[in-house]
Amino acid sequence: MIQHTIGLLLKPKEQWRTIASLPESSQNILVLYPFIFALLPAVAWYWGTSHMGWTVGTYNQVICLTPESALQVNILFYCVMVAAITGIGYFIHWMSDTYGAENSTIAKGVMIAGLTATPLFVSGLVGFYPLLWLDLLIGVVAVSGSVYLMYLGIPIIMDIPQERGFLFSSAILAIALVILVSIMVVSILAWDFGAAPAFTDACGMAAAAG
């Protein structure tokens, strides 16, 4: 699977065509792609938030999550990532008939959604060092890269004209934004109902304990 990651980052159009030419059995195996690569940001942010910590504004005290809280938060983070990609994949399949795509399956939709998220998975490694301005900058670049991959990949994988693929991708992007807003709302509600993370300023102790 790593060759698809490298190809999508360096030569996305050629890689999408390579993926489109794979037999259906090989494409179905790529359904596992988001389940595996979503571990990268989850592990990185677990380590970064529980061992490295971060500062806020001019407040020089380094803040961390407790290891237990960081583990709980990042397990939920992983589950949310996988669930969101699976949901987007389902909508790709559901909307395929509308845009004239043939031989669409839920597995193919999840595959497209997972491969599209490649820049987000890779950029999630910045979580090993939670520096706010750097993480935001890389995050914006990664989101832009994922949107580009989606607009490039959907017409190739679904074998539809570029113009129809643009409309298809735009519809999926709108759905992805709705899912993102829903996740944010649920996160805020969960925080209000007592699922807030536990913070500590003893990052050095946490690192030593690790």
Side-chain angles (χ1 to χ4, degrees):
M1 290 185 182
I2 190 66
Q3 72 271 21
H4 298 307
T5 303
I6 297 172
L8 288 169
L9 293 175
L10 300 180
K11 296 181 178 179
K13 182 175 288 188
E14 291 82 353
Q15 191 62 44
W16 277 126
R17 288 173 177 163
T18 299
I19 294 167
S21 66
L22 293 173
E24 185 176 354
S25 58
S26 297
Q27 290 186 358
N28 289 340
I29 292 175
L30 287 175
V31 171
L32 298 175
Y33 186 91
F35 291 86
I36 296 172
F37 280 84
L39 289 169
L40 297 179
V43 171
W45 282 99
Y46 166 76
W47 178 266
T49 56
S50 63
H51 289 74
M52 298 301 297
W54 66 94
T55 58
V56 179
T58 58
Y59 181 63
N60 292 324
Q61 180 67 50
V62 179
I63 302 171
C64 285
L65 297 180
T66 63
E68 296 79 9
S69 181
L71 180 61
Q72 178 183 7
V73 167
N74 284 284
I75 288 175
L76 290 174
F77 178 39
Y78 172 83
C79 292
V80 168
M81 282 191 290
V82 170
I85 289 171
T86 303
I88 292 170
Y90 169 78
F91 280 108
I92 290 174
H93 165 65
W94 181 65
M95 299 180 70
S96 60
D97 288 342
T98 303
Y99 295 95
E102 298 179 357
N103 301 321
S104 174
T105 62
I106 295 178
K108 181 178 285 189
V110 174
M111 178 196 74
I112 293 172
L115 292 170
T116 294
T118 295
L120 294 173
F121 294 147
V122 174
S123 68
L125 293 174
V126 299
F128 278 115
Y129 187 67
L131 185 60
L132 182 59
W133 69 267
L134 178 62
D135 295 349
L136 287 175
L137 178 61
I138 294 177
V140 169
V141 174
V143 169
S144 301
S146 290
V147 171
Y148 174 71
L149 284 181
M150 182 175 64
Y151 276 89
L152 194 63
I154 283 182
I156 294 174
I157 300 295
M158 291 300 190
D159 194 21
I160 57 178
Q162 191 70 35
E163 297 78 10
R164 210 182 300 163
F166 180 84
L167 296 175
F168 193 171
S169 300
S170 298
I172 297 302
L173 178 60
I175 290 171
L177 290 174
V178 171
I179 291 175
L180 175 61
V181 172
S182 300
I183 291 172
M184 294 173 65
V185 171
V186 171
S187 299
I188 293 171
L189 292 175
W191 190 303
D192 287 342
F193 281 97
F199 297 96
T200 177
D201 57 4
C203 292
M205 295 173 60

